[in-house]
Amino acid sequence: MKTIIKLLHTFGLWSQPYQNHKPWKPLWIIILPTLFLVGPEVAFFIRNHSSFTKATRAAIESVELTNVAIMAMNHLIHRSALEQSYKELQLALKIMSYDSHIDVQAALDQLKKIIRISSKVYITFQMIISIGYAMSIPMLTVYHFAKTGKLPPLYGIFEADFIFFDVTHNFWAWLLILIVTIVTFLSICLVLAVINSLHWGLLLHVTGFFKIVYMKILRIDEISDKQSRHKEMIDIVQLQELAYRNARILEQSLNQIMLLQFGMCVVTVCLTMLTLTLANDDKDLLIKMGIILVFIFAHLLVYSLLGTELITASSSIADAMYGTQWYEWTISEQRNVLFILLRSQRMTALTIGKFFYINRSTLGKILQTTYSHFTVLRQMIDSH
């Protein structure tokens, strides 16, 4: 998580210690690259009526690029709450590192390892996908030139790169525009990867704390001394409250953006599948639409898996508490049991705009809805 925080500092999306936050820096970092890439795409979509597939590709690219800007703006709006959540979770990790139980230490080590590996894997995956998308045109151009000895027609990374200034007849001007576009695009993709890594890291922390609460409850009957058991119950209540409080922070920070994210995903996946079925002879278009599908499905799957894990971990606490010999404890201890059960009865989950819970079942319904829209659109096109 330290690397993620450092990258957020670099982009101005995280407060520096003992320094005033400067909101203008992240706003420029978000707005300028987005306008640079999305502006031509919108103009191309409005002007181009001859090719449905090219216009659809421009629309998909515009939606995905705008999506990144919206996620960054949402992060800025909830930055203070996310920073407070991160500080609380890190402090709790530090306190629990002094726990004498081996299973708790093993769970903490595993949690840190999972967060470290998952963030590295995700950022690597994100950048490979982004580089593949950005470099497909240059690589195909170089391959064609090496194979035939003739410079092929020059195209941009995005469909509308040269809609305002056509420099496709000058190799060096084309190369300059290409380099600027690639750097801008990769910086936007890195912002997206960092923000998602932060969200996933915080979710993993909260879920891990719920699992540790579950582990502590399972072994509480082994504590025969009433004073030691009472102290352990207090620790359990505090840790559960910490996990619930930070789960609520994440839910409040992400529920609206998740509604927009999943809604955009339905539209984008539907249009991407439609484009894939219509552009059978355009290799570059097929490659890029395939990359977009992989990118979208990966994000949907990760959020759904993390949402399911959060629900399972938080709801398992009540079952573990019922399995203890609470009926033999003192009144004050039973009062703590009541607090734990009352909290466990409230669903802890991420939602899509307060309408649906984010879990594997929701992902299946979204994919089913997307396929239904795709088949309807395909039938409408075939009928004409």
Side-chain angles (χ1 to χ4, degrees), residues 112-122:
K112 294 175 183 177
K113 184 178 180 181
I114 290 173
I115 293 173
R116 183 175 63 254
I117 293 176
S118 61
S119 61
K120 289 181 179 179
V121 170
Y122 168 65

Side-chain angles (χ1 to χ4, degrees), residues 86 98 108 112 119 163 174 206 301 350 360 367:
Y86 174 76
Y98 297 104
L108 290 176
K112 294 175 183 177
S119 61
I163 188 170
W174 170 81
V206 172
L301 180 62
L350 294 180
R360 290 194 295 264
L367 295 179

